[in-house]
């Protein structure tokens, strides 16, 4: 839920998306930093089509249990 409330997301479109193209979103936690009584997570995000072509790249920061 923290990723949908009070999080900061930065994304950039790097490729065109076409009608009926299947897009899959991926993410990996790159950093977990102590903050207050919880943590700040930084997650690298990207989306690609079935052929592995990246369409969107970016990152999100979210505080959990702070």
């Amino acid at each position: 839920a923290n990723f949908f409330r009070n999080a900061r997301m930065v994304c950039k479109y790097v490729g065109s998306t076409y009608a009926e193209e299947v897009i899959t979103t991926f993410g990996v936690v790159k950093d977990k930093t102590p903050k207050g009584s919880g943590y700040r997570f930084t997650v690298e995000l990207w989306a690609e089509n079935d052929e592995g072509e990246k369409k969107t790249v970016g990152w999100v920061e979210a505080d959990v249990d702070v």
Side-chain angles (χ1 to χ4, degrees), residues 29 31-35 38-42 61-64 66:
V29 176
D31 195 28
K32 178 183 173 186
T33 307
K35 184 176 179 187
Y39 294 93
R40 171 172 283 169
F41 289 89
T42 303
E61 280 184 343
D63 296 336
V64 178
V66 173

Side-chain angles (χ1 to χ4, degrees), residues 11-17 46-48 53-58:
C11 290
K12 180 179 182 180
Y13 296 100
V14 295
S16 298
T17 303
W46 68 96
E48 57 186 50
E53 298 170 324
K54 285 195 176 166
K55 301 295 184 164
T56 304
V57 295

Side-chain angles (χ1 to χ4, degrees), residues 19-36:
E20 299 189 31
E21 184 174 32
V22 176
I23 302 294
T24 305
T25 304
F26 300 92
V28 65
V29 176
K30 296 302 259 183
D31 195 28
K32 178 183 173 186
T33 307
K35 184 176 179 187

Side-chain angles (χ1 to χ4, degrees), residues 1-10 35 39-43 45 59-64:
N2 295 81
F3 281 90
F4 300 102
R5 188 178 55 230
N6 299 323
R8 185 168 89 156
M9 181 183 288
V10 176
K35 184 176 179 187
Y39 294 93
R40 171 172 283 169
F41 289 89
T42 303
V43 180
L45 305 171
W59 55 270
V60 64
E61 280 184 343
D63 296 336
V64 178

